Amino acid sequence: MKKLLIGIVAFFALVIIGLVIAINMVNLNKYKPQIEQAVKEHSGYELKINGDIGTSFSPIGISIENVIVKNPEIKSKQKIMTLQKIGVAVELMPLLSKEIKVKYITLNNLSLDVTKFENGKFNFEVTQPSTPKAEKEAPKQEKGKAQENTLPKINISEVRLKNANINFEDLKTKSKATVQDINVAIDNIGYDASKKGLNALSFEANTQIKAVIFNQYSAKNISVDLALKDAIANLKNLKLTMYDSLATAKGKLDLNKKVPFLEIEADVPDFKLANFSKEYIKKDILSGSVSVHKKFTLSLGDMNTIKRTLNGVAIVDGKDVGIKGFDLDKILSGYDKAKNVDLKDVGASLVAGPLGFILSKSSDMSGIYGGANSGTTLLKHLHIEVKIAKGIADLSDVAMATGKSRVAIKGQLNLLDERFLGVKLGIMDANNCAKYSQTIEGTFTKPSIKVDESMIDTVTNMATSLFGKISGVVAPAKKENKKCTVFYDGVVKQP
């Protein structure tokens, strides 16, 4: 027995020594032309290996340096990918039991360039090479016998993507996007061939990204932990910085469903409006900060699917929020001075926050508010709470207060049809009743104003809409009204 064991050990020692000698003697660099030609024949892409192809024994591995991938079918933007180095290593012993155990896969300094041309095609689209007839003819399965799954069990210890960059350009829309300095560490990767689809795959990953820039949008210092198991991806510890404001999030993506289902919760405790104003709007018109909380569930798909399945809540709250360029109190004073006043743009601010003024179609304010388009507005308290269910957004607590006035909005928004549903805006008094109110009807793109005459006691000249005057309305006679219907009773108090 002892001699047998010694013989077995000696045999494996000789096999290992032989493998070491064979691997070190093989120079794979002389096979570069054959490798490049094979890639072109099977994929249509042009591969160029400008660096060395190296091998290692412990573990058994291969590395390729300075790789370039091009699309030979186009004249410009041919280069799709460059890669400084790729390395793959597998363990020897598991191969004997029909198991592939990959020690590591590394990709260093990957650069991916994607271009969408004016005709809608991408620079990576190639004509698929014709498949030989022998490969097309699948082996016939014996009648009455189930086809056995011949895929071996695959385990990958780690995958490392270091210093990668992605560039995207749409030549038709003139838009550009870049993802800078991507570092991904994927561990505990497993593939169980006995399971179907994504249920067979499992892994844990950590991703670090220096910056994502799309036109005027930017996010920096992005990090996230992701775990995939049983076709469910759990996102944890998601952090990113936008306009010098830290955002955190967590979520879950269920890929078992026909349409992927997403649950996401995000917080921005101190969203700096001044930085947003300068970087995105390119104007110094906002100051202060707001807190943002969002919690949603939705099915991923086209825009209609997202709107139809969107459920959740969004809350924005801020104090001492400044808006430069117009005086809101002066605008609202039109109510008491029997002047034309329009609350629709005020409503835009309440739904979208103070940015609603700037991002609305009347952002320059000229010709609409006359002398009111100067000065500043300080919102002592801004609060927006919107609850969304099946594509209907309920404005459950939406109001803002300056040092002199308070404005509130209530009603619903149909996100699917893009219509206002009973949306009312009102100037509040100390009893939470509306001294003056307007109803917004119609679509988001063509809203119309209806003046609520029953709410007016002191105004003699009715309001105008944001995009046109309402004429021919006669004010009702002033009458005593000791009791009123509460219009708003939320968190924003009367100044």
Side-chain angles (χ1 to χ4, degrees):
M1 176 63 80
K2 186 176 180 181
K3 289 183 178 180
L4 178 62
L5 290 174
I6 293 173
I8 293 173
V9 171
F11 171 76
F12 278 106
L14 290 172
V15 170
I16 292 172
I17 293 170
L19 284 171
V20 172
I21 295 172
I23 290 172
N24 288 325
M25 288 182 64
V26 173
N27 182 10
L28 296 179
N29 286 288
K30 65 180 181 180
Y31 297 105
K32 284 183 186 179
Q34 292 91 326
I35 296 171
E36 294 169 351
Q37 183 62 30
V39 169
K40 188 171 184 178
E41 290 177 356
H42 288 82
S43 69
Y45 293 110
E46 183 180 297
L47 174 70
K48 185 66 177 177
I49 303 173
N50 294 322
D52 289 333
I53 301 177
T55 57
S56 64
F57 176 76
S58 182
I60 297 175
I62 185 172
S63 64
I64 306 174
E65 297 181 351
N66 297 326
V67 176
I68 298 176
V69 178
K70 295 182 179 180
N71 183 350
E73 297 179 3
I74 57 178
K75 295 181 180 179
S76 63
K77 308 289 183 180
Q78 281 190 327
K79 187 177 71 174
I80 301 170
M81 184 190 77
T82 61
L83 183 63
Q84 188 182 71
K85 185 177 181 179
I86 179 172
V88 181
V90 297
E91 294 185 14
L92 177 63
M93 297 307 295
L95 295 174
L96 302 177
S97 57
K98 297 183 179 181
E99 179 182 356
I100 299 175
K101 195 165 186 179
V102 180
K103 188 71 174 177
Y104 63 79
I105 300 174
T106 61
L107 298 98
N108 295 343
N109 295 302
L110 168 71
S111 180
L112 186 64
D113 295 294
V114 179
T115 303
K116 185 178 182 181
F117 298 105
E118 289 89 342
N119 60 5
K121 291 186 177 181
F122 291 90
N123 65 331
F124 55 77
E125 295 184 45
V126 295
T127 303
Q128 291 299 317
S130 58
T131 305
K133 186 177 179 180
E135 293 182 19
K136 288 182 180 179
E137 295 178 356
K140 292 183 179 180
Q141 184 178 332
E142 290 185 29
K143 196 172 182 180
K145 289 187 178 181
Q147 187 175 1
E148 294 183 3
N149 192 340
T150 57
L151 285 175
K153 186 176 180 181
I154 302 173
N155 252 277
I156 304 174
S157 297
E158 63 178 58
V159 175
R160 297 291 185 265
L161 177 64
K162 300 178 181 179
N163 304 320
N165 292 276
I166 301 174
N167 299 296
F168 171 79
E169 183 179 10
D170 190 325
L171 299 181
K172 185 176 182 179
T173 63
K174 309 299 182 184
S175 59
K176 293 183 179 182
T178 60
V179 186
Q180 302 173 356
D181 196 5
I182 309 166
N183 290 276
V184 181
I186 307 176
D187 298 295
N188 301 320
I189 307 165
Y191 185 84
D192 189 345
S194 65
K195 296 181 180 180
K196 295 182 179 180
L198 285 174
N199 284 281
L201 180 64
S202 63
F203 64 82
E204 297 174 355
N206 173 264
T207 301
Q208 308 279 338
I209 302 174
K210 183 179 180 180
V212 176
I213 302 170
F214 177 70
N215 295 337
Q216 67 268 48
Y217 298 98
S218 64
K220 300 177 181 178
N221 302 322
I222 304 166
S223 64
V224 62
D225 294 322
L226 172 67
L228 179 69
K229 187 177 182 180
D230 298 326
I232 295 177
N234 285 289
L235 292 86
K236 299 184 294 182
N237 304 320
L238 172 60
K239 296 179 181 179
L240 60 88
T241 301
M242 294 184 67
Y243 311 110
D244 201 29
S245 305
L246 177 65
T248 60
K250 60 181 179 180
K252 181 171 70 173
L253 181 62
D254 190 344
L255 300 169
N256 285 296
K257 301 180 183 296
K258 187 176 181 181
V259 179
F261 185 74
L262 176 66
E263 302 175 28
I264 190 76
E265 184 174 358
D267 288 282
V268 188
D270 187 27
F271 186 74
K272 297 177 175 62
L273 296 174
N275 293 343
F276 174 86
S277 174
K278 293 173 184 176
E279 295 179 32
Y280 179 80
I281 306 173
K282 305 300 182 184
K283 293 181 180 179
D284 184 16
I285 51 180
L286 297 176
S287 63
S289 63
V290 294
S291 64
V292 181
H293 172 75
K294 297 178 181 180
K295 187 175 183 180
F296 293 121
T297 62
L298 65 146
S299 295
L300 300 180
D302 58 24
M303 189 54 65
N304 282 334
T305 300
I306 292 174
K307 290 179 180 179
R308 179 171 44 82
T309 60
L310 183 61
N311 293 277
V313 61
I315 301 173
V316 177
D317 190 89
K319 294 183 178 179
D320 297 326
V321 174
I323 308 173
K324 301 175 184 178
F326 71 100
D327 188 338
L328 180 59
D329 283 322
K330 191 172 183 180
I331 297 170
L332 298 178
S333 68
Y335 157 74
D336 290 318
K337 296 178 181 179
K339 295 180 180 178
N340 291 334
V341 60
D342 182 357
L343 298 181
K344 190 174 5 161
D345 213 29
V346 177
S349 174
L350 290 177
V351 175
L355 311 180
F357 285 108
I358 290 86
L359 302 180
S360 68
K361 293 181 179 180
S362 57
S363 59
D364 60 357
M365 302 296 171
S366 59
I368 297 175
Y369 296 122
N373 63 340
S374 61
T376 60
T377 294
L378 180 64
L379 300 180
K380 290 292 186 179
H381 193 183
L382 168 70
H383 186 81
I384 305 162
E385 184 172 343
V386 180
K387 296 178 181 178
I388 303 175
K390 297 180 180 180
I392 302 296
D394 180 57
L395 310 177
S396 55
D397 187 353
V398 183
M400 65 181 176
T402 67
K404 299 179 181 179
S405 309
R406 181 174 55 146
V407 179
I409 180 173
K410 61 183 181 180
Q412 294 180 326
L413 305 174
N414 187 325
L415 302 179
L416 284 169
D417 298 333
E418 297 186 348
R419 298 187 67 88
F420 296 97
L421 302 176
V423 175
K424 292 179 178 287
L425 303 97
I427 304 174
M428 299 294 98
D429 62 18
N431 297 317
N432 293 328
C433 300
K435 297 185 291 182
Y436 176 86
S437 68
Q438 292 180 345
T439 298
I440 300 181
E441 299 176 333
T443 65
F444 295 169
T445 55
K446 293 183 178 180
S448 61
I449 289 292
K450 176 184 177 183
V451 180
D452 300 331
E453 298 181 17
S454 61
M455 304 296 293
I456 304 173
D457 292 328
T458 60
V459 176
T460 58
N461 193 7
M462 294 298 98
T464 60
S465 70
L466 183 60
F467 303 113
K469 295 183 178 180
I470 299 176
S471 58
V473 182
V474 180
K478 185 177 179 179
K479 55 186 178 182
E480 294 295 329
N481 184 17
K482 294 181 181 180
K483 294 184 179 180
C484 68
T485 301
V486 172
F487 186 95
Y488 171 80
D489 190 19
V491 299
V492 179
K493 304 305 178 184
Q494 186 74 8

